[in-house]
Amino acid sequence: MTEELKTGGQKGYLRIATEEAFATQEQLDAILRLVKEGRADKGTVSLWGFYGTSPSERTTYIRERLLDLGPLRIEAMDAAGIDKAVLALTSPGVQSLHDIEEAKGIASRANDHLAAACEKHPDRFFGMTAICPQDPEWSVTELKRGKEELGFHGVQVNSHTHGHYLDEERFDPILRACAEMDIPLYIHPQGPPDPMIGGMVEAGLEGAIFGFAVETSYHALRLLTTGVFDRYPSLQLALGHGCEGLPFWIDRFDYMFNAGVRSKRYPRLKPLEHGLHHYLRNNVWATNSGLPSPASIKLLIDVMGEDRVMHAMDYPYQYVPDEVRLLDAMDLPAEVMKKFYQSNAERLFKL
Ligand code: 1DF
Ligand code: MN
């Protein structure tokens, strides 16, 4: 597969990549300081202890590429035929940090830095706001600034915050702000929190290979089963990595959820206004980051509908232009290909 990939829409669609990562030096410095001091959780120690210090070719490449919001990234997008990138501060954002004032400063300076890059490349780069869920009220203010002053198109939360999840009452202002300001919420993985990680690091499985999806699908399922979308019917949640597997499992979730509710097994789980399928088809969007196979994408479309499945590359962690060639060759109708690569992202993120 060597056909040259071009931007510009010759195939009948622009290609928009929706889970693209950047970092700031002060973010990485702060995380690495925690790791060195032995104050980071195990997932962060494993992730950034590796990406932040390993001299391997992969980690050197990724560090350099994360820190660039200019020519290297544009060149990589051009070479893979990616017209537009939706960018977010790389996982775990500032969510591993303990000093909340420091974390908020790092997040808001990362937002300023990203906004400047988007202004310089207005047809290529589109930002999502970084927040600091450790301080929900501040996060609401930053979300408003991100949307109204910086021109951002969504918010990325890197899953749990010190083992806490967005369905918990303390985070309600964040969910309400997303719903009221019509800001898509992208829940991106990070490593499982210490109480969940168990033997995953020893097994080499806590990261993007597996633990990310386990923890993030758990997070999303908590939102679905505790009625967050009955509380905020307009809230729109985006998930990467094939919706973190949820569509594959949905029938089981639905059956067992209903069985548990009918028998009043768990005090927290109450009847919902709709079946779980309804929320997947009305409140959740999937990207195919990390999953370039047509079979996965077709399953997502079957379960969620063709209007909610979007393309993502996960640059620089999984920069494989051949995946674009594989996806270009999917046997889907032209209008579905355009929705997948272009128009669904335009609709969700208002590009
Ligand atoms: C990795 C993968 C790291 C993804 C990421 O952020 C990330 C990785 C730190 O390969 O370790 O966003 N990913 O989304 O697949
Ligand atoms: Mn990612």
Side-chain angles (χ1 to χ4, degrees), residues 184-259:
L185 166 64
Y186 201 120
I187 301 191
H188 182 282
Q190 65 156 308
D194 286 352
M196 182 194 265
I197 205 163
M200 285 191 204
V201 177
E202 292 72 18
L205 295 176
E206 93 297 342
I209 182 173
F210 177 71
F212 275 25
V214 170
E215 197 272 344
T216 308
S217 57
Y218 167 61
H219 193 163
L221 197 51
R222 288 179 61 122
L223 302 188
L224 288 167
T225 55
T226 58
V228 161
F229 299 103
D230 288 344
R231 226 153 77 224
Y232 301 114
S234 69
L235 180 62
Q236 298 298 315
L237 169 68
L239 297 169
H241 317 104
C243 211
E244 306 298 353
L246 294 179
F248 184 82
W249 292 82
I250 186 68
D251 296 320
R252 185 165 172 79
F253 296 146
D254 190 55
Y255 184 88
M256 291 300 169
F257 174 79
N258 290 328

Side-chain angles (χ1 to χ4, degrees), residues 86-88 111 114 126-131 142-143 146-147 151-157 178 182-186 348-351:
V86 180
L87 298 157
N111 288 331
L114 177 58
F126 301 84
M128 284 196 270
T129 307
I131 59 171
E142 190 64 1
L143 275 176
K147 174 159 179 153
F152 288 160
H153 301 266
V155 55
Q156 176 163 302
V157 172
C178 288
D182 202 11
I183 297 171
L185 166 64
Y186 201 120
L348 177 63
F349 295 107
K350 301 189 178 64
L351 304 185

Side-chain angles (χ1 to χ4, degrees), residues 110-126:
N111 288 331
D112 293 341
H113 179 61
L114 177 58
C118 294
E119 206 165 299
K120 210 162 160 196
H121 302 280
D123 51 341
R124 307 301 298 276
F125 292 171
F126 301 84

Side-chain angles (χ1 to χ4, degrees), residues 19 21 47-48 51 58 62 90-92 188-189 207-208 212 241 289-290 314 317-318:
E19 189 194 299
L47 188 68
W48 284 103
Y51 284 112
R58 172 173 170 82
I62 286 174
T90 199
S91 182
H188 182 282
F212 275 25
H241 317 104
S289 48
D314 211 14
Y317 294 102
Q318 190 162 339

Side-chain angles (χ1 to χ4, degrees), residues 65-124:
R65 297 298 172 126
L66 281 172
L67 292 169
D68 164 78
L69 280 176
L72 288 178
R73 189 175 294 261
I74 297 283
E75 197 182 295
M77 288 168 65
D78 288 344
I82 302 297
D83 295 275
K84 304 179 190 212
V86 180
L87 298 157
L89 188 63
T90 199
S91 182
V94 299
Q95 288 165 241
S96 293
L97 304 183
H98 300 291
D99 179 336
I100 296 179
E101 292 310 311
E102 178 193 35
K104 290 188 279 191
I106 291 171
S108 85
R109 285 185 293 275
N111 288 331
D112 293 341
H113 179 61
L114 177 58
C118 294
E119 206 165 299
K120 210 162 160 196
H121 302 280
D123 51 341
R124 307 301 298 276

Side-chain angles (χ1 to χ4, degrees), residues 25-84:
Q25 190 63 56
E26 67 167 347
Q27 175 205 14
L28 300 187
D29 289 346
I31 293 173
L32 277 174
R33 186 158 25 82
L34 275 196
V35 169
K36 287 200 188 99
E37 291 168 0
R39 298 171 62 224
D41 67 5
K42 291 175 186 164
T44 304
V45 171
S46 177
L47 188 68
W48 284 103
F50 174 60
Y51 284 112
T53 65
S54 158
S56 73
E57 197 183 321
R58 172 173 170 82
T59 50
T60 309
Y61 172 89
I62 286 174
R63 276 198 302 277
E64 176 190 45
R65 297 298 172 126
L66 281 172
L67 292 169
D68 164 78
L69 280 176
L72 288 178
R73 189 175 294 261
I74 297 283
E75 197 182 295
M77 288 168 65
D78 288 344
I82 302 297
D83 295 275
K84 304 179 190 212

